[in-house]
Amino acid sequence: MSARNILLLSSSRVHGYEYLEYAQKDINNLFRKNNVSKVLFIPYALKDHDKYLATVESVLSKWGYDVQGIHKGDPKTLVEHAEAIFIGGGNTFVLLKALYDHGLVELIRHRVLHEGIPYLGSSAGTNVATKSIATTNDMPIVYPPSFEGLQLVPFNINPHYIDHDPTSKHKGETREERILQYQELSHAGIVIGLREGCTLLIEGNSMILKGLSRSRLFIPGKSPEEIEVDTDLSYLL
Amino acid sequence: MSARNILLLSSSRVHGYEYLEYAQKDINNLFRKNNVSKVLFIPYALKDHDKYLATVESVLSKWGYDVQGIHKGDPKTLVEHAEAIFIGGGNTFVLLKALYDHGLVELIRHRVLHEGIPYLGSSAGTNVATKSIATTNDMPIVYPPSFEGLQLVPFNINPHYIDHDPTSKHKGETREERILQYQELSHAGIVIGLREGCTLLIEGNSMILKGLSRSRLFIPGKSPEEIEVDTDLSYLL
């Protein structure tokens, strides 16, 4: 698995920044190190693929990349020839179902893990990159054939992780409670709660927490733990 | 379907009230009208069934009901002989999978829709009572064989519905945005966002919004609409 070049974003939008802007430097590093000039964008998580492509293109083209939408051609062929892949956010169930329906799960996994093409994921695109979508925040509005993700990393991520507001009168489960409920199950493993503005950079067998904010690490059987930006998390791989 | 006697709660806990207390009068009406003395409680949505049963028993026994836990005997036999069923909250995916695994989905549907035994649901127990679990807030921590619910009502419910806080800097989708994303899909239908303290009482072909708070109605192709307590919603059945 030493070929990995992966950047996983909690979110594409962060308060006070333009779309993807907070991660611009890390995205450029990821792509430039790997001589990427053209990015294959996968917009399946939102309904209007053309509109979504236009949003992404307007940003990445300014940064010097050509952007191609996977819905504009044969999905498998485009993945086979992609220099880099970006999967954007939206609904995780819709996204994962589309990846299975188009027969892309094994193919993307192979290209990223064994051929080392850069993978950029945001929000739902981060959820599907992990072990499974078990810790998505999204509603199950379609039924995918499995909850197993691309398994580019061996743990789960909760993007848009948010702390409980102690002044709230709302009685629904907090994000932390939901993650701990998951970890009561025998098949559950590690979960990283990525607050907005958090990113994970995985290069080969190294993983570093990057971005603007601490994240929260949930290891089954241990108390949740705060992780500072720039922490080496390679031991979780 | 004129046999229905159903009370669906957004939540069992509401700020300022004890467990189930805010709905005590409506729960008593539901059970007493139907001469219920013994309630079959289904605790599948949480991991510790005995503890969950003890919580429910401590309240309902004070109100004069015997409570039986479905995990204490043969689930099908207990449903076949139940005077009334209460399904409590927790994780909706865990709950629905257990209902399918124990072969209870058709059986509960039959007993409620055709034999008229009272059904009380709260939170996850409300989600599974509807068309599908598409509008649950819970994480998909286990994979059920289907997202189809008991279909005691022909629409979806979002329990613990919460309004967007306009001062929030969080960029994750709001609850309303998630519901509207669902309704972009051709198979989606009506969704009722039940704020905490909202309940729906369904008797035969009549449905009334009850409880402490307004709810929010989402009809595909229309703007979301506020519904006052005591509104007759029978037209949605």
Side-chain angles (χ1 to χ4, degrees), chain B residues 140-186:
Chain B
I141 63 178
V142 297
Y143 185 69
S146 165
F147 289 162
E148 278 188 16
L150 296 168
Q151 307 196 339
L152 307 183
V153 291
F155 48 80
N156 286 107
I157 289 175
N158 178 249
H160 300 278
Y161 182 81
I162 188 162
D163 296 289
H164 179 59
D165 170 4
T167 68
S168 169
K169 293 174 177 170
H170 193 71
K171 293 289 188 179
E173 286 94 338
T174 66
R175 196 66 62 82
E176 176 157 316
E177 284 167 353
R178 294 183 188 285
I179 293 170
L180 294 176
Q181 273 184 1
Y182 171 48
Q183 292 190 327
E184 288 176 354
L185 303 177
S186 58

Side-chain angles (χ1 to χ4, degrees), chain A residues 77-142:
Chain A
T77 307
L78 290 171
V79 170
E80 273 159 13
H81 294 92
E83 289 177 35
I85 290 172
F86 172 30
I87 305 190
N91 183 284
T92 306
F93 294 85
V94 171
L95 169 58
L96 187 63
K97 183 172 188 300
L99 294 177
Y100 277 109
D101 288 351
H102 291 293
L104 299 176
V105 171
E106 291 288 340
L107 187 58
I108 295 173
R109 184 184 297 147
H110 179 80
R111 294 235 54 212
V112 175
L113 292 186
H114 299 290
E115 300 185 11
I117 64 164
Y119 179 96
L120 175 64
S122 176
S123 194
T126 286
N127 268 311
V128 298
T130 70
K131 190 185 163 205
S132 78
I133 62 166
T135 53
T136 177
N137 307 307
D138 296 335
M139 289 180 179
I141 64 179
V142 297

Side-chain angles (χ1 to χ4, degrees), chain A residues 22-23 26 197-200 209-214 229-230:
Chain A
Y22 80 97
D26 291 327
C198 287
T199 72
L200 285 174
L209 180 68
K210 310 269 282 183
L212 308 174
S213 165
R214 294 185 304 169
V229 175
D230 292 330

Side-chain angles (χ1 to χ4, degrees), chain B residues 110-128:
Chain B
H110 179 79
R111 295 234 54 211
V112 176
L113 292 186
H114 299 290
E115 299 184 11
I117 64 162
Y119 179 96
L120 174 64
S122 175
S123 196
T126 286
N127 268 310
V128 299

